[in-house]
Amino acid sequence: DTGVSQNPRHKITKRGQNVTFRCDPISEHNRLYWYRQTLGQGPEFLTYFQNEAQLEKSRLLSDRFSAERPKGSFSTLEIQRTEQGDSAMYLCASSLGLVIEGTETQYFGPGTRLLVL
Amino acid sequence: RKEVEQDPGPFNVPEGATVAFNCTYSNSASQSFFWYRQDCRKEPKLLMSVYSSGNEDGRFTAQLNRASQYISLLIRDSKLSDSATYLCVAHRIISNFGNEKLTFGTGTRLTIIP
């Protein structure tokens, strides 16, 4: 399967614990995005990378959230000191990200569903 | 006002009927648009891209009206398998360095009734 993959698919944790999610984008894609989605809402942008550089961060991304893409391939999203309000689906997407129409199309992974108890 | 607005529905439509959704966007700098389909508890999957006035793919037609800042999606001869949430998405470049922003609507829920 050459699509976007995410691990784990589900995570249950207790409030106050740290969690880390991983995303492996489509191999030739330069850009990688993280979104959060709660029930009844569309995905909300968190942050994105062009290769290893983090270009944009949403105000939704509090200082408890950090994302990395150290070698410009896979990315990790870490949430420290989780709160119940962090419970959501965390989606990763990737795109070619060239300055050519059509390459901005984002393809999503299956998501990591987080439940904070 | 939200940057991308959709009627959340639900739309309950008999099989075989034609259904249309509208989506409005507030930022005139938005350059390209997408419709994604999302099944319950699954990831969004790209349905159509819209760059100029519209796009057609089989039973699906998307129209873009830049003057009125809305995008529509038309589904003809609807099938049971079309039941899903349809997300409208606007894309724009937000800096001279090529930083971009993709904004999703909340989605329109469609149920096709046998």
Side-chain angles (χ1 to χ4, degrees):
Chain A
D1 187 350
T2 57
V4 179
S5 62
Q6 291 186 247
N7 287 290
R9 296 290 304 276
H10 300 90
K11 180 71 178 178
I12 300 174
T13 191
K14 292 183 180 178
R15 189 177 53 183
Q17 297 294 305
N18 299 344
V19 294
T20 300
F21 310 142
R22 175 177 170 131
C23 171
D24 287 87
I26 294 171
S27 59
E28 65 269 25
H29 282 188
N30 299 312
R31 291 195 171 181
L32 185 149
Y33 312 78
W34 285 100
Y35 293 86
R36 181 173 69 188
Q37 186 176 27
T38 53
L39 198 62
Q41 300 298 314
E44 293 175 295
F45 169 77
L46 293 177
T47 188
Y48 87 95
F49 294 84
Q50 171 81 32
N51 300 314
E52 66 274 11
Q54 189 171 17
L55 293 189
E56 195 79 16
K57 288 172 66 171
S58 162
R59 293 190 196 94
L60 292 174
L61 214 65
S62 76
D63 56 6
R64 296 184 299 105
F65 288 70
S66 62
E68 293 182 342
R69 193 183 183 198
K71 297 181 181 178
S73 56
F74 73 92
S75 175
T76 57
L77 177 69
E78 181 183 15
I79 310 174
Q80 296 182 324
R81 305 182 302 282
T82 52
E83 301 173 355
Q84 288 180 324
D86 297 332
S87 296
M89 169 87 98
Y90 290 84
L91 291 160
C92 175
S94 70
S95 73
L96 273 169
L98 304 175
V99 189
I100 301 171
E101 184 177 279
T103 65
E104 76 278 26
T105 304
Q106 295 183 19
Y107 298 90
F108 283 82
T112 295
R113 191 170 294 278
L114 172 67
L115 177 61
V116 182
L117 301 174
Chain B
R1 182 185 174 192
K2 289 185 178 180
E3 190 166 333
V4 176
E5 294 203 70
Q6 296 181 251
D7 181 344
F11 284 56
N12 299 314
V13 173
E15 192 175 5
T18 295
V19 60
F21 310 134
N22 276 339
C23 166
T24 58
Y25 61 97
S26 61
N27 196 316
S28 58
S30 297
Q31 295 158 324
S32 51
F33 303 88
F34 305 88
W35 284 101
Y36 279 80
R37 170 202 168 118
Q38 187 170 28
D39 293 294
C40 189
R41 302 179 75 83
K42 299 284 190 181
E43 74 273 25
K45 290 190 188 295
L46 180 68
L47 182 65
M48 298 185 79
S49 307
V50 188
Y51 297 103
S52 54
S53 60
N55 195 4
E56 184 171 335
D57 183 4
R59 298 182 295 109
F60 298 85
T61 301
Q63 296 275 345
L64 168 61
N65 185 318
R66 290 193 187 272
S68 302
Q69 295 185 194
Y70 77 82
I71 316 106
S72 63
L73 178 68
L74 184 78
I75 306 175
R76 289 180 296 276
D77 186 25
S78 52
K79 313 288 185 194
L80 295 176
S81 57
D82 294 334
S83 297
T85 295
Y86 290 83
L87 297 162
C88 173
V89 188
H91 173 269
R92 62 185 169 95
I93 303 298
I94 58 174
S95 81
N96 292 333
F97 303 103
N99 291 23
E100 58 176 344
K101 184 176 181 183
L102 207 66
T103 306
F104 285 77
T106 55
T108 298
R109 193 152 56 95
L110 172 66
T111 301
I112 304 299
I113 304 165

